[in-house]
Short mmCIF file of all heavy atoms in Angstrom, two decimals:
data_model
loop_
_atom_site.label_atom_id
_atom_site.label_comp_id
_atom_site.label_asym_id
_atom_site.label_seq_id
_atom_site.Cartn_x
_atom_site.Cartn_y
_atom_site.Cartn_z
N ASP R 1 0.82 -1.21 0.00
CA ASP R 1 0.00 0.00 0.00
C ASP R 1 0.86 1.26 0.00
O ASP R 1 0.65 2.18 -0.81
CB ASP R 1 -0.91 -0.03 1.23
CG ASP R 1 -1.95 1.07 1.21
OD1 ASP R 1 -2.37 1.48 0.11
OD2 ASP R 1 -2.36 1.53 2.29
N TRP R 2 1.85 1.32 0.87
CA TRP R 2 2.67 2.52 0.97
C TRP R 2 3.60 2.68 -0.22
O TRP R 2 3.93 3.82 -0.62
CB TRP R 2 3.46 2.51 2.28
CG TRP R 2 2.57 2.66 3.46
CD1 TRP R 2 2.27 1.72 4.41
CD2 TRP R 2 1.82 3.82 3.83
NE1 TRP R 2 1.39 2.21 5.33
CE2 TRP R 2 1.09 3.51 5.01
CE3 TRP R 2 1.68 5.09 3.29
CZ2 TRP R 2 0.26 4.41 5.64
CZ3 TRP R 2 0.85 6.01 3.93
CH2 TRP R 2 0.15 5.67 5.08
N GLU R 3 4.03 1.57 -0.80
CA GLU R 3 4.84 1.65 -2.00
C GLU R 3 4.06 2.33 -3.12
O GLU R 3 4.58 3.18 -3.84
CB GLU R 3 5.26 0.24 -2.43
CG GLU R 3 6.20 0.21 -3.61
CD GLU R 3 6.73 -1.19 -3.89
OE1 GLU R 3 5.89 -2.10 -4.07
OE2 GLU R 3 7.95 -1.37 -3.94
N ARG R 4 2.80 1.96 -3.27
CA ARG R 4 1.98 2.55 -4.32
C ARG R 4 1.70 4.03 -4.07
O ARG R 4 1.44 4.78 -5.01
CB ARG R 4 0.67 1.77 -4.45
CG ARG R 4 0.93 0.34 -4.89
CD ARG R 4 -0.26 -0.33 -5.50
NE ARG R 4 0.21 -1.46 -6.31
CZ ARG R 4 -0.51 -2.10 -7.20
NH1 ARG R 4 -1.75 -1.73 -7.41
NH2 ARG R 4 -0.01 -3.10 -7.89
N ARG R 5 1.74 4.45 -2.83
CA ARG R 5 1.51 5.86 -2.50
C ARG R 5 2.78 6.70 -2.62
O ARG R 5 2.73 7.92 -2.47
CB ARG R 5 0.95 5.98 -1.09
CG ARG R 5 -0.48 5.48 -0.96
CD ARG R 5 -0.92 5.43 0.50
NE ARG R 5 -2.31 5.09 0.63
CZ ARG R 5 -3.31 5.96 0.77
NH1 ARG R 5 -3.03 7.25 0.77
NH2 ARG R 5 -4.54 5.57 0.88
N GLY R 6 3.92 6.05 -2.87
CA GLY R 6 5.14 6.78 -3.15
C GLY R 6 5.89 7.32 -1.96
O GLY R 6 6.75 8.20 -2.11
N VAL R 7 5.61 6.83 -0.74
CA VAL R 7 6.31 7.31 0.45
C VAL R 7 7.81 7.00 0.32
O VAL R 7 8.18 5.86 0.05
CB VAL R 7 5.73 6.67 1.73
CG1 VAL R 7 6.55 7.07 2.95
CG2 VAL R 7 4.28 7.10 1.89
N PRO R 8 8.68 7.99 0.50
CA PRO R 8 10.11 7.77 0.25
C PRO R 8 10.78 6.71 1.13
O PRO R 8 11.63 5.97 0.64
CB PRO R 8 10.73 9.16 0.52
CG PRO R 8 9.62 10.12 0.25
CD PRO R 8 8.38 9.42 0.73
N VAL R 9 10.41 6.64 2.41
CA VAL R 9 11.13 5.74 3.33
C VAL R 9 10.14 4.86 4.11
O VAL R 9 9.17 5.38 4.68
CB VAL R 9 11.98 6.54 4.35
CG1 VAL R 9 12.80 5.59 5.22
CG2 VAL R 9 12.90 7.53 3.64
N ARG R 10 10.41 3.57 4.09
CA ARG R 10 9.61 2.63 4.91
C ARG R 10 10.52 2.04 5.99
O ARG R 10 11.63 1.61 5.70
CB ARG R 10 9.06 1.51 4.04
CG ARG R 10 8.12 0.58 4.78
CD ARG R 10 7.58 -0.50 3.87
NE ARG R 10 8.49 -1.61 3.68
CZ ARG R 10 8.73 -2.20 2.50
NH1 ARG R 10 8.14 -1.75 1.40
NH2 ARG R 10 9.57 -3.21 2.41
N VAL R 11 10.02 2.04 7.21
CA VAL R 11 10.76 1.46 8.34
C VAL R 11 9.97 0.29 8.88
O VAL R 11 8.79 0.43 9.22
CB VAL R 11 10.99 2.51 9.46
CG1 VAL R 11 11.61 1.86 10.68
CG2 VAL R 11 11.87 3.65 8.96
N GLU R 12 10.60 -0.87 8.96
CA GLU R 12 9.98 -2.05 9.56
C GLU R 12 10.59 -2.25 10.94
O GLU R 12 11.81 -2.18 11.10
CB GLU R 12 10.21 -3.27 8.67
CG GLU R 12 9.67 -3.07 7.25
CD GLU R 12 10.16 -4.14 6.29
OE1 GLU R 12 10.49 -5.25 6.76
OE2 GLU R 12 10.21 -3.87 5.07
N LEU R 13 9.73 -2.52 11.89
CA LEU R 13 10.19 -2.61 13.27
C LEU R 13 9.52 -3.78 13.98
O LEU R 13 8.29 -3.79 14.13
CB LEU R 13 9.87 -1.30 14.00
CG LEU R 13 10.43 -1.13 15.41
CD1 LEU R 13 11.95 -1.07 15.39
CD2 LEU R 13 9.87 0.15 16.04
N GLY R 14 10.32 -4.77 14.38
CA GLY R 14 9.79 -5.94 15.08
C GLY R 14 10.58 -6.22 16.35
O GLY R 14 11.55 -5.51 16.66
N PRO R 15 10.19 -7.28 17.10
CA PRO R 15 10.86 -7.60 18.37
C PRO R 15 12.36 -7.84 18.23
O PRO R 15 13.15 -7.41 19.08
CB PRO R 15 10.14 -8.87 18.83
CG PRO R 15 8.81 -8.81 18.17
CD PRO R 15 9.04 -8.15 16.85
N LYS R 16 12.77 -8.51 17.17
CA LYS R 16 14.20 -8.76 16.98
C LYS R 16 14.96 -7.47 16.74
O LYS R 16 16.13 -7.34 17.13
CB LYS R 16 14.41 -9.74 15.83
CG LYS R 16 13.93 -11.15 16.14
CD LYS R 16 14.22 -12.09 14.98
CE LYS R 16 13.71 -13.50 15.27
NZ LYS R 16 13.97 -14.42 14.13
N ASP R 17 14.30 -6.51 16.08
CA ASP R 17 14.94 -5.20 15.88
C ASP R 17 15.14 -4.49 17.20
O ASP R 17 16.17 -3.82 17.40
CB ASP R 17 14.07 -4.34 14.95
CG ASP R 17 13.92 -4.93 13.56
OD1 ASP R 17 14.94 -5.32 12.98
OD2 ASP R 17 12.78 -5.02 13.08
N LEU R 18 14.17 -4.63 18.10
CA LEU R 18 14.31 -4.00 19.42
C LEU R 18 15.49 -4.60 20.18
O LEU R 18 16.24 -3.88 20.85
CB LEU R 18 13.03 -4.18 20.23
CG LEU R 18 11.74 -3.56 19.65
CD1 LEU R 18 10.62 -3.65 20.68
CD2 LEU R 18 11.96 -2.11 19.24
N GLU R 19 15.65 -5.93 20.08
CA GLU R 19 16.76 -6.59 20.77
C GLU R 19 18.10 -6.08 20.26
O GLU R 19 19.07 -5.97 21.04
CB GLU R 19 16.68 -8.10 20.55
CG GLU R 19 15.48 -8.77 21.22
CD GLU R 19 15.35 -10.23 20.83
OE1 GLU R 19 16.28 -10.75 20.18
OE2 GLU R 19 14.32 -10.85 21.17
N LYS R 20 18.16 -5.77 18.97
CA LYS R 20 19.42 -5.32 18.37
C LYS R 20 19.51 -3.80 18.28
O LYS R 20 20.50 -3.28 17.74
CB LYS R 20 19.57 -5.93 16.97
CG LYS R 20 19.60 -7.44 16.97
CD LYS R 20 19.65 -7.99 15.54
CE LYS R 20 19.62 -9.52 15.52
NZ LYS R 20 19.65 -10.05 14.13
N ASP R 21 18.49 -3.11 18.78
CA ASP R 21 18.46 -1.65 18.75
C ASP R 21 18.65 -1.14 17.31
O ASP R 21 19.39 -0.20 17.07
CB ASP R 21 19.53 -1.06 19.66
CG ASP R 21 19.30 0.43 19.93
OD1 ASP R 21 18.13 0.84 19.93
OD2 ASP R 21 20.29 1.16 20.10
N GLN R 22 17.89 -1.73 16.38
CA GLN R 22 18.03 -1.38 14.98
C GLN R 22 16.66 -1.17 14.34
O GLN R 22 15.62 -1.42 14.96
CB GLN R 22 18.75 -2.51 14.22
CG GLN R 22 17.91 -3.78 14.12
CD GLN R 22 18.59 -4.91 13.39
OE1 GLN R 22 19.82 -4.92 13.24
NE2 GLN R 22 17.82 -5.89 12.93
N VAL R 23 16.67 -0.71 13.10
CA VAL R 23 15.47 -0.65 12.28
C VAL R 23 15.81 -1.24 10.91
O VAL R 23 16.97 -1.23 10.49
CB VAL R 23 14.94 0.79 12.10
CG1 VAL R 23 14.38 1.32 13.40
CG2 VAL R 23 16.02 1.70 11.54
N CYS R 24 14.79 -1.77 10.25
CA CYS R 24 14.95 -2.25 8.88
C CYS R 24 14.39 -1.15 7.97
O CYS R 24 13.23 -0.78 8.08
CB CYS R 24 14.19 -3.55 8.68
SG CYS R 24 14.21 -4.15 6.98
N VAL R 25 15.23 -0.63 7.08
CA VAL R 25 14.87 0.52 6.25
C VAL R 25 14.81 0.11 4.78
O VAL R 25 15.72 -0.55 4.27
CB VAL R 25 15.88 1.67 6.42
CG1 VAL R 25 15.52 2.84 5.52
CG2 VAL R 25 15.93 2.11 7.88
N LYS R 26 13.75 0.54 4.10
CA LYS R 26 13.61 0.29 2.66
C LYS R 26 13.24 1.61 2.01
O LYS R 26 12.21 2.22 2.32
CB LYS R 26 12.53 -0.75 2.40
CG LYS R 26 12.27 -1.00 0.90
CD LYS R 26 13.45 -1.70 0.27
CE LYS R 26 13.13 -2.16 -1.16
NZ LYS R 26 12.96 -1.01 -2.08
N MET R 27 14.08 2.08 1.08
CA MET R 27 13.78 3.28 0.32
C MET R 27 12.81 2.94 -0.81
O MET R 27 12.85 1.83 -1.35
CB MET R 27 15.06 3.89 -0.27
CG MET R 27 16.11 4.25 0.76
SD MET R 27 15.55 5.49 1.96
CE MET R 27 15.36 6.93 0.89
N ARG R 28 11.96 3.90 -1.18
CA ARG R 28 10.99 3.64 -2.25
C ARG R 28 11.69 3.33 -3.57
O ARG R 28 11.24 2.47 -4.34
CB ARG R 28 10.07 4.87 -2.42
CG ARG R 28 9.08 4.76 -3.57
CD ARG R 28 8.19 3.53 -3.44
NE ARG R 28 7.28 3.42 -4.57
CZ ARG R 28 7.60 2.86 -5.75
NH1 ARG R 28 8.83 2.38 -5.95
NH2 ARG R 28 6.71 2.78 -6.71
N VAL R 29 12.78 4.02 -3.85
CA VAL R 29 13.61 3.71 -5.01
C VAL R 29 15.04 3.62 -4.51
O VAL R 29 15.53 4.54 -3.86
CB VAL R 29 13.50 4.79 -6.11
CG1 VAL R 29 14.46 4.49 -7.25
CG2 VAL R 29 12.06 4.88 -6.63
N ASP R 30 15.71 2.53 -4.80
CA ASP R 30 17.09 2.35 -4.34
C ASP R 30 18.03 3.15 -5.21
O ASP R 30 18.01 3.05 -6.44
CB ASP R 30 17.49 0.87 -4.40
CG ASP R 30 16.64 0.02 -3.46
OD1 ASP R 30 16.31 0.52 -2.37
OD2 ASP R 30 16.31 -1.12 -3.82
N SER R 31 18.88 3.94 -4.58
CA SER R 31 19.84 4.73 -5.34
C SER R 31 20.99 3.86 -5.84
O SER R 31 21.70 4.22 -6.77
CB SER R 31 20.40 5.87 -4.48
OG SER R 31 20.98 5.36 -3.30
N GLU R 32 21.19 2.71 -5.20
CA GLU R 32 22.22 1.77 -5.64
C GLU R 32 21.54 0.46 -6.01
O GLU R 32 20.74 -0.07 -5.25
CB GLU R 32 23.24 1.53 -4.52
CG GLU R 32 23.97 2.80 -4.08
CD GLU R 32 24.88 2.53 -2.90
OE1 GLU R 32 25.27 1.37 -2.71
OE2 GLU R 32 25.19 3.48 -2.17
N ALA R 33 21.87 -0.06 -7.18
CA ALA R 33 21.22 -1.26 -7.69
C ALA R 33 21.35 -2.42 -6.71
O ALA R 33 22.43 -2.73 -6.21
CB ALA R 33 21.84 -1.65 -9.03
N GLY R 34 20.21 -3.05 -6.43
CA GLY R 34 20.20 -4.24 -5.58
C GLY R 34 20.40 -3.98 -4.10
O GLY R 34 20.61 -4.91 -3.32
N LYS R 35 20.38 -2.74 -3.69
CA LYS R 35 20.66 -2.44 -2.28
C LYS R 35 19.56 -2.98 -1.37
O LYS R 35 19.83 -3.55 -0.33
CB LYS R 35 20.83 -0.94 -2.09
CG LYS R 35 21.44 -0.58 -0.75
CD LYS R 35 21.88 0.87 -0.74
CE LYS R 35 22.61 1.21 0.56
NZ LYS R 35 23.09 2.60 0.57
N GLY R 36 18.31 -2.81 -1.78
CA GLY R 36 17.20 -3.37 -1.02
C GLY R 36 17.10 -2.84 0.39
O GLY R 36 17.31 -1.66 0.65
N LYS R 37 16.83 -3.75 1.33
CA LYS R 37 16.65 -3.35 2.73
C LYS R 37 17.99 -3.19 3.43
O LYS R 37 18.97 -3.88 3.13
CB LYS R 37 15.81 -4.40 3.46
CG LYS R 37 14.38 -4.50 2.96
CD LYS R 37 13.62 -5.54 3.76
CE LYS R 37 12.18 -5.64 3.27
NZ LYS R 37 11.40 -6.65 4.04
N GLU R 38 18.00 -2.27 4.40
CA GLU R 38 19.18 -2.06 5.23
C GLU R 38 18.79 -2.19 6.69
O GLU R 38 17.73 -1.72 7.10
CB GLU R 38 19.74 -0.65 5.01
CG GLU R 38 20.19 -0.33 3.61
CD GLU R 38 20.65 1.11 3.51
OE1 GLU R 38 21.77 1.40 3.97
OE2 GLU R 38 19.88 1.95 3.02
N PHE R 39 19.64 -2.83 7.47
CA PHE R 39 19.45 -2.91 8.91
C PHE R 39 20.42 -1.91 9.55
O PHE R 39 21.64 -2.04 9.42
CB PHE R 39 19.69 -4.33 9.41
CG PHE R 39 18.64 -5.29 8.94
CD1 PHE R 39 18.77 -5.95 7.72
CD2 PHE R 39 17.49 -5.52 9.70
CE1 PHE R 39 17.79 -6.82 7.27
CE2 PHE R 39 16.51 -6.39 9.26
CZ PHE R 39 16.66 -7.04 8.03
N ILE R 40 19.86 -0.89 10.21
CA ILE R 40 20.63 0.25 10.67
C ILE R 40 20.34 0.49 12.16
O ILE R 40 19.17 0.42 12.57
CB ILE R 40 20.26 1.52 9.87
CG1 ILE R 40 20.39 1.27 8.37
CG2 ILE R 40 21.14 2.69 10.29
CD1 ILE R 40 19.84 2.41 7.53
N PRO R 41 21.35 0.79 12.95
CA PRO R 41 21.09 1.17 14.35
C PRO R 41 20.10 2.34 14.39
O PRO R 41 20.18 3.26 13.57
CB PRO R 41 22.47 1.57 14.87
CG PRO R 41 23.44 0.81 14.02
CD PRO R 41 22.80 0.74 12.66
N GLN R 42 19.19 2.30 15.34
CA GLN R 42 18.14 3.33 15.40
C GLN R 42 18.73 4.74 15.46
O GLN R 42 18.28 5.65 14.75
CB GLN R 42 17.25 3.08 16.60
CG GLN R 42 16.37 1.84 16.48
CD GLN R 42 15.46 1.66 17.69
OE1 GLN R 42 15.22 2.60 18.44
NE2 GLN R 42 14.96 0.45 17.87
N ALA R 43 19.73 4.93 16.31
CA ALA R 43 20.31 6.26 16.48
C ALA R 43 20.95 6.73 15.17
O ALA R 43 20.85 7.91 14.81
CB ALA R 43 21.35 6.25 17.60
#
């Protein structure tokens, strides 16, 4: 749904992310080919 609405950044957040103090980030369009999702510390 959000991909079709064109939102630039999607953040996925689950229990395992909380344990690792991270977020899973997906850009609407990847600036680098095949980059896909990134797991990044929240801060």
Side-chain angles (χ1 to χ4, degrees):
D1 189 30
W2 292 110
E3 185 173 55
R4 296 201 160 195
R5 290 172 174 264
V7 174
V9 184
R10 186 179 81 223
V11 174
E12 302 168 25
L13 187 65
K16 291 183 181 179
D17 297 312
L18 299 188
E19 292 173 9
K20 299 176 183 179
D21 195 30
Q22 68 180 20
V23 291
C24 175
V25 178
K26 177 69 171 68
M27 302 299 294
R28 176 57 182 84
V29 176
D30 297 323
S31 57
E32 299 175 23
K35 194 167 185 178
K37 294 181 179 180
E38 299 177 77
F39 292 88
I40 307 171
Q42 291 182 19

